[in-house]
Amino acid sequence: ILVRELESKPVIVTHPDENIKDVARKLVENNINHIPVVDEKGVLQGIVTSWDIADAVAKGKTSLRDVMTRKVIIAREDEPVEVVARRIDKYDISGLPIVDSNNKVKGIITAEDISRLVGKKM
Ligand code: SAM
């Protein structure tokens, strides 16, 4: 099974200048934990999770630029899901943006998506 068969599309994204409070609202309203941060062309700039928002509140940070993670672990549509599962384990993360060869964000894949797949097989 390839990533493209499991990915969530379209993905909810945010921009580096978005207000932390608006990002928090997006997480809650969409019942998600990961939001890729993109520029105006949709190119990946970072990732923000509910954990980062909690950290921002704890430290009194208000700018998304200061809390987003810039070195993002990504996945590609033509990769086997198994390889992505190993990457999730290796880096202790739970969601990976899926990008194309131009680094544009196409979707997202999470540990939950993979668990659901394993659950169906058993
Ligand atoms: N274990 C938890 C989980 O799976 O979500 C949290 C630990 S994880 C180390 C928390 C940090 O990882 C956050 O600062 C977040 O921005 C970052 N992060 C989450 N997904 C990421 C990804 N795909 N690439 C790089 N960093 C990521």
Side-chain angles (χ1 to χ4, degrees):
I1 294 186
L2 300 182
V3 165
R4 75 160 57 83
E5 296 166 60
L6 267 199
E7 72 176 310
S8 297
K9 268 176 161 178
V11 56
I12 315 274
V13 296
T14 185
H15 302 278
D17 295 319
E18 193 159 356
N19 189 288
I20 295 263
K21 201 169 172 182
D22 292 332
V23 177
R25 198 173 295 130
K26 265 188 189 171
L27 287 165
V28 174
E29 280 175 1
N30 296 289
N31 190 23
I32 53 176
N33 260 316
H34 304 78
I35 304 187
V37 185
V38 301
D39 68 10
E40 61 287 346
K41 290 186 181 129
V43 174
L44 186 65
Q45 304 291 309
I47 188 163
V48 60
T49 65
S50 30
W51 188 90
D52 296 312
I53 300 300
D55 188 46
V57 171
K59 294 180 178 155
K61 291 182 179 170
T62 53
S63 168
L64 183 56
R65 285 178 191 281
D66 294 339
V67 293
M68 68 188 213
T69 299
R70 288 164 199 272
K71 198 170 175 296
V72 187
I73 313 297
I74 55 103
R76 298 200 188 269
E77 286 188 327
D78 57 1
E79 282 186 301
V81 167
E82 210 179 299
V83 172
V84 174
R86 258 181 252 131
R87 198 170 301 142
I88 285 177
D89 186 36
K90 180 173 175 195
Y91 292 98
D92 188 23
I93 50 176
S94 53
L96 288 74
I98 299 154
V99 299
D100 66 12
S101 53
N102 297 315
N103 262 342
K104 282 197 186 177
V105 176
K106 307 308 269 183
I108 190 158
I109 185 164
T110 66
E112 261 177 75
D113 299 326
I114 298 175
S115 306
R116 206 173 304 122
L117 175 76
V118 174
K120 265 189 214 150
K121 275 189 181 166
M122 288 174 18

